[in-house]
Amino acid sequence: MIFGPAIDVRPLFPRERQAMLDLLRTLGPAEWAMPTVCPGWDVRDVVAHVLGDYMRRLSGSRDGHSGAIFADDETLPAHLARTNEEFVRASRQLSPQLMIELLDHLGPRLDAVWAAQDLHAAADLNVSWAATDIDSPAWLDIGRDYTEFWAHQQQVRDAVSAPGATEPELMAPVLDVFARGLPHALRMHDRPEGATAHLEVLGPAGGRWGAVRQDARWRMARPVGEPTALVSMDQDTFWRLATRGITEQQARQRSTTTGDAELTTAITALLAVIA
């Protein structure tokens, strides 16, 4: 497998959700209407999107429901953008209190779905930002959902100027899962066997990840020795880059790089959402 060692984020879902619910219960009407980094969405809309994710995963992974039909010639990013927007628009009829209650009610049911999964079985949904030609393992699919919930919580916190949920226990697994996009970010760059690229993320939740060129493709590998290319950035920059909360150019301005310039440019284009 190219994705590196498995990570089990399942115990973290209740803690992440509780932090989100505790925050939402403190917000007043003006804060629910604050704009977020998501274009055209305020806090209420981001919360509705998270609720939609809960419902979609329960419907698909638990109930086997196939979901919305793709339009003719619709790509996956276009399909997700359309269906997400449709759900958010419809959810504007829901009160903040009802959305809080639904998240609180549905969350444990989604936790139970994840708990029943074999982490090393095939994923219900492939993680296309990690690979498009190899099926994803379930642990990566589950990890991807954890990163999405955490990132949307941070977008809400940013909008209402409420710091939090960045303690290493909650944030470090997010960065670890995001880093599994490293081989995919490097995929267009052929290099000799044994070439290596390292990503260093600084901060209490950070770490160092590596990719090696092996058997004509990039694979996650333990970062040892002097790499062919190295990118170093702080943890806040990395999660915002991976979710496009900042531009690639902004990420490069906040990073230090050494070695192969094409590879460092590719690393600072790493994307951990479907776009």
Side-chain angles (χ1 to χ4, degrees):
M1 296 297 290
I2 70 168
F3 306 112
I7 177 173
D8 185 1
V9 302
R10 293 177 296 181
L12 299 175
F13 281 101
R15 291 181 57 191
E16 184 281 327
R17 183 171 56 252
Q18 191 60 55
M20 177 70 144
L21 292 173
D22 289 346
L23 171 66
L24 297 181
R25 290 181 177 118
T26 70
L27 302 184
E31 291 167 307
W32 280 90
M34 293 293 290
T36 72
V37 70
C38 303
W41 286 4
D42 60 14
V43 166
R44 178 200 300 266
D45 294 334
V46 171
V47 174
H49 172 64
V50 173
L51 177 61
D53 281 344
Y54 277 37
M55 291 181 167
R56 183 159 43 217
R57 291 310 299 253
L58 281 166
S59 296
S61 295
R62 187 190 67 179
D63 304 335
H65 182 60
S66 58
I69 304 298
F70 275 71
D72 291 342
D73 299 322
E74 190 174 44
T75 64
L76 177 59
H79 173 77
L80 290 176
R82 175 178 63 82
T83 56
N84 287 339
E85 185 65 29
E86 288 172 352
F87 188 91
V88 164
R89 286 175 183 267
S91 297
R92 289 171 183 160
Q93 301 178 72
L94 305 180
S95 69
Q97 181 59 35
L98 180 57
M99 288 196 291
I100 290 171
E101 291 172 0
L102 288 170
L103 289 170
D104 198 17
H105 176 72
L106 295 175
R109 286 153 179 78
L110 188 54
D111 295 344
V113 172
W114 299 143
Q117 291 265 11
D118 176 355
L119 292 181
H120 299 283
D124 290 340
L125 295 172
N126 284 326
V127 182
S128 61
W129 50 257
T132 56
D133 62 335
I134 296 177
D135 287 339
S136 302
W139 64 263
L140 187 58
D141 180 26
I142 297 169
R144 181 256 314 275
D145 263 26
Y146 177 73
T147 68
E148 178 157 353
F149 299 158
W150 182 91
H152 287 313
Q153 178 175 170
Q154 296 310 121
Q155 291 163 354
V156 170
R157 289 181 179 277
D158 283 351
V160 300
S161 301
T166 55
E167 55 267 38
E169 293 82 1
L170 291 179
M171 187 179 187
V174 174
L175 306 182
D176 194 358
V177 173
F178 283 165
R180 307 311 174 94
L182 191 55
H184 191 65
L186 296 165
R187 69 193 182 282
M188 302 303 293
H189 299 280
D190 190 9
R191 290 295 184 274
E193 288 281 299
T196 56
H198 291 182
L199 168 65
E200 181 181 51
V201 178
L202 305 174
R208 188 162 177 149
W209 294 268
V212 61
R213 188 72 177 178
Q214 187 178 67
D215 299 328
R217 73 178 304 148
W218 291 96
R219 305 168 183 272
M220 294 298 295
R222 190 164 61 92
V224 295
E226 188 70 22
T228 310
L230 169 66
V231 172
S232 180
M233 65 182 73
D234 66 73
Q235 61 187 36
D236 187 73
T237 297
F238 180 49
W239 85 259
R240 294 180 191 279
L241 166 69
T243 59
R244 287 303 181 265
I246 59 174
T247 66
E248 295 174 22
Q249 183 60 35
Q250 288 173 319
R252 289 173 189 138
Q253 290 171 349
R254 301 180 193 182
S255 304
T256 59
T257 64
T258 58
D260 187 317
E262 288 186 344
L263 298 185
T264 60
T265 297
I267 294 170
T268 50
L270 185 148
L271 183 64
V273 295
I274 297 175

